[in-house]
Amino acid sequence: MSSGQESVLSEYESDTSQTSKLLRKFKETPFVPIGMAGFAMVVGYGLYKLKHRGDMKMSLHLIHMRVAAQGFVVGAITCGVLYSMFQEYMVRPKE
């Protein structure tokens, strides 16, 4: 292995605690945890509204909740990809 790969491997091996790994991943890809949190919020709100859905059928309510949760996750992933592309091509262009 080259020295560049060894330094990267030793950096990853030095982080042994779960918290430090989670923080490192959050810094590398911040929109994935945001998407997961948004998904949890949409599901929580949907479950709260489940009691007060009125005369709407249960299956229709669940379909709406699923579409909203998936839309939030896809939106967060799209924002993450756009952010990554912006960082790679605009902020630090390759020479």
Side-chain angles (χ1 to χ4, degrees):
M1 276 199 263
S2 69
S3 62
Q5 289 177 340
E6 290 173 359
S7 65
V8 170
L9 290 176
S10 64
E11 177 185 333
Y12 282 110
E13 291 171 353
S14 66
D15 291 337
T16 56
S17 71
Q18 293 294 328
T19 306
S20 64
K21 288 181 182 179
L22 182 64
L23 289 174
R24 187 186 75 235
K25 285 291 187 182
F26 185 74
K27 288 178 185 176
E28 290 174 0
T29 56
F31 286 96
V32 172
I34 291 171
M36 291 169 42
F39 174 80
M41 288 184 343
V42 167
V43 168
Y45 179 74
L47 290 174
Y48 173 74
K49 294 298 281 182
L50 187 63
K51 283 183 147 183
H52 309 289
R53 68 181 188 272
D55 60 348
M56 183 186 293
K57 290 184 180 181
M58 172 76 98
S59 62
L60 187 61
H61 176 75
L62 292 176
I63 288 171
H64 287 172
M65 189 171 71
R66 186 199 67 165
V67 168
Q70 284 178 336
F72 194 91
V73 171
V74 168
I77 290 172
T78 303
C79 289
V81 167
L82 292 174
Y83 176 76
S84 172
M85 288 173 58
F86 176 76
Q87 289 290 353
E88 187 171 332
Y89 296 112
M90 297 294 194
V91 175
R92 48 189 157 125
K94 295 182 180 180
E95 298 172 5

